[in-house]
Amino acid sequence: SGAQAPGGQRPLSEQTFSGSKDFTGVWQPDFSRRNIAGGFEAPELPLTELGRAAGTGVYDPLDDPALSCIGESLPMTLLPVYPVEFTRSGDELHMRYEQFDTRRVVHLGMAEHPASTEPSYMGHSIGAIEGNVLSINTAYFAPDHWGLGRGAPSGVQKRVNERYTLSEDGSMLELE
């Protein structure tokens, strides 16, 4: 992000650029094109009646675990302030978020989540790559008061769908 190249490498202006062809790489969020908190305020989320009732009167932004450097779950993790690294290992796509050193694994080629999956903080992610689009479905989340971020609780029924589109030259990654 700055003028100093990382690790003593040549300045970025002198490096040869080769875009990603398989979603791997380190991706820096572009804050000029989005509101980093947009769409994740509790009143904007499609909550069930039980979800609305659970969040009523208990949200205190000063209790946000992120203020104590405790990692966030999905979907809040999808709004990183710091870079995100995507790497591949066989049929797995590994995502490492610099913020809070959060890590997740996306199992590629699986059609369904295994029924024996234990709920966890980051859930279980399956994905598929078709052309320049990576689709990810995550399920099996552990119940969490901050699970949807901004005071909206989540439970085992939470599902998060992500769609990443790689630009033609491999230099940008769009997220829906």
Side-chain angles (χ1 to χ4, degrees):
S1 296
Q4 179 69 31
Q9 298 174 2
R10 294 186 322 254
L12 295 177
S13 60
E14 297 176 15
Q15 293 183 32
T16 303
F17 174 74
S18 176
S20 179
K21 294 175 180 35
D22 62 357
F23 296 89
T24 59
V26 177
W27 301 97
Q28 173 66 47
D30 179 4
F31 299 114
S32 67
R33 299 177 56 193
R34 65 182 168 100
N35 172 358
I36 63 170
F40 289 100
E41 297 294 331
E44 298 174 27
L45 294 170
L47 301 176
T48 64
E49 185 175 324
L50 182 60
R52 284 189 299 277
T56 303
V58 296
Y59 173 62
D60 182 351
L62 297 178
D63 289 336
D64 189 334
L67 297 176
S68 298
C69 296
I70 297 171
E72 299 167 310
S73 182
L74 299 170
M76 292 306 294
T77 302
L78 302 178
L79 301 172
V81 175
Y82 301 103
V84 178
E85 180 180 35
F86 287 39
T87 57
R88 295 280 300 269
S89 178
D91 288 339
E92 296 179 343
L93 175 70
H94 294 252
M95 300 170 79
R96 179 174 177 238
Y97 301 83
E98 183 176 325
Q99 185 169 343
F100 308 123
D101 195 31
T102 303
R103 297 164 191 252
R104 60 190 282 225
V105 175
V106 178
H107 302 275
L108 301 172
M110 289 180 112
E112 295 183 19
H113 300 278
S116 61
T117 303
E118 289 292 321
S120 67
Y121 187 64
M122 290 300 287
H124 182 270
S125 298
I126 59 175
I129 297 174
E130 294 182 24
N132 69 332
V133 175
L134 165 64
S135 299
I136 301 173
N137 174 273
T138 305
Y140 288 97
F141 289 94
D144 182 9
H145 175 72
W146 290 89
L148 294 177
R150 306 295 187 259
S154 68
V156 295
Q157 294 180 343
K158 177 170 85 170
R159 300 289 184 267
V160 176
N161 292 303
E162 305 154 68
R163 179 183 164 101
Y164 296 85
T165 304
L166 190 60
S167 66
E168 190 173 311
D169 68 355
S171 68
M172 293 188 66
L173 196 57
E174 292 287 333
L175 167 63
E176 296 176 57

